[in-house]
Amino acid sequence: MLESILRSIGEVIPGVLCYHDLEQRIRFFNDAYASLYLRLAGRVPQPGEITADLLHDPDLGAEVGQHRRRAAAGEPVTAEYTLRFGEAVEIWEIRYQPVRDEQGQVIGILAWGQDVTAQKQERAFLQRLEVILAQMQDAVLVTEAWPIDADEGGPRILYVNEAFERMTGYTRAEVIGQTPRILQGPRTRREELDRLRAALEQWQPVRVELVNYRKDGREFLVDISLSPVRDPTGKVVCWVAIQRDVTREKAMVAILQDALEERKVLLQEVHHRVKNNFQTIISLLELQAAHLEQPCFDLHGIASRIRAMALIHEQLYQQSDFSHVLLDELCVSLVAHMQQVLPAASVRVEVRPGHVALPLNVAVPVALIVHELLLNAFKHGIPAGAHHIAVQFRRTADAVTIEVIDDGRHHPPDLPAQLEGSRHFGVRMVRLLARQLHGSVDFVPEPGRFCAALTFPLGPDGGPAGTPPGYG
């Protein structure tokens, strides 16, 4: 009768099922038990055999025998076995239950169990995950997938980590089963909540920034990354929110922004004052030149060169980037200045775009050199019949070339030689500044035009490829 009942149960029960007498001899087993023993012992046990003796692993056999003896003595036993099949390892949980007759005497041992490898691995993973989440500095909050409506009490909180407790002041027991809305308050922005709800309705991840409230009522600003968690079928089973308190970070950003704005204003004022000081020096030089019948120095020329330097600070004062000067804009200003100093209605001056940014310590010597090259183009090109002066740029990976070209057709054929051997202050200054830039200046006559070219190294990031002198 008992074996008939067991046979019926064994056909439907998941996992292994067997029945032993008090001497541990097997009396009944189902197909799953037979399959397991075939893998362990290489054959299917026969009724009447002590199956523990069939196991190839003597330690496993001794352990199984001990558990069965305890069950035969009337003690229910739950055992866990690590079974090895070559390189594969499985964990089986077996329960041994004493079987008693009507008088309460133990007459046999019923054992049933199943492969719990996956559950064990999942449990171990969850335990490791719990340790990781507990040690995270960011708060973690897990809610159910549905419902999301407040009138239905959702979404309810399923889990929070220790960081959440520290951040909000709520204990885990106080928030489990509650909705995250307990953290919201008067200054929680409706627009961000609407974005959050739209993501929940569409099962999409979202990132929002909310004003939340601690248990004691204090506000804090939190950055929330919310993501749906799906099961193997693709169904959303819960939502995970990673929350970071950014109150202090936002305050620091605001302080830094104020400091940067203050620095910007200060630097603008510095460049404005430098420009004005240059202008004062220029005015003094021009005033002095007007009162001297035969000055020892070319005071007007000195003032013009100082004006070229002042133009750099004027450009810096008008822009937000104080580390670089745009070569195009600098040359346009130099040309306008030159046209004021040396009026020439018959000549047209063009600055062709080149989109080159110069560091401040490079811009000053470049401005002085271009000033002299333009001055030479006006002084020598116009008498040679020039009607057009062009300033153009050529950029390579590690160098910049600035060319000042006039279309004068009657330049003296020996003009380059004259310039090469010139003791004129302007030419000597150009060559000195070019050497400081680790560059060179070349004078190239061609049919129908004359070109003066400055070439100097400049890295691809806008920094000097060489080591030009510092300035300022």
Side-chain angles (χ1 to χ4, degrees), residues 1-13 17-19 27-30 99-100 102 107 110:
M1 180 65 177
L2 177 60
E3 293 187 6
S4 176
I5 294 174
L6 292 175
R7 190 169 289 106
S8 300
I9 296 175
E11 292 176 356
V12 296
I13 191 172
L17 178 68
C18 64
Y19 175 71
R27 297 302 179 188
F28 166 82
F29 55 88
N30 65 356
V99 179
R100 302 176 184 273
E102 294 179 355
I107 59 174
L110 182 65

Side-chain angles (χ1 to χ4, degrees), residues 404-422:
V404 178
I405 304 168
D406 70 75
D407 61 355
R409 297 178 177 274
H410 307 296
H411 285 290
D414 63 341
L415 180 58
Q418 293 179 27
L419 293 172
E420 289 288 344
S422 174

Side-chain angles (χ1 to χ4, degrees), residues 352 377 388-392 403-408 449-452:
R352 295 168 182 166
H388 178 260
I389 297 175
V391 181
Q392 64 185 27
E403 295 176 327
V404 178
I405 304 168
D406 70 75
D407 61 355
R449 73 173 199 165
F450 188 86
C451 174

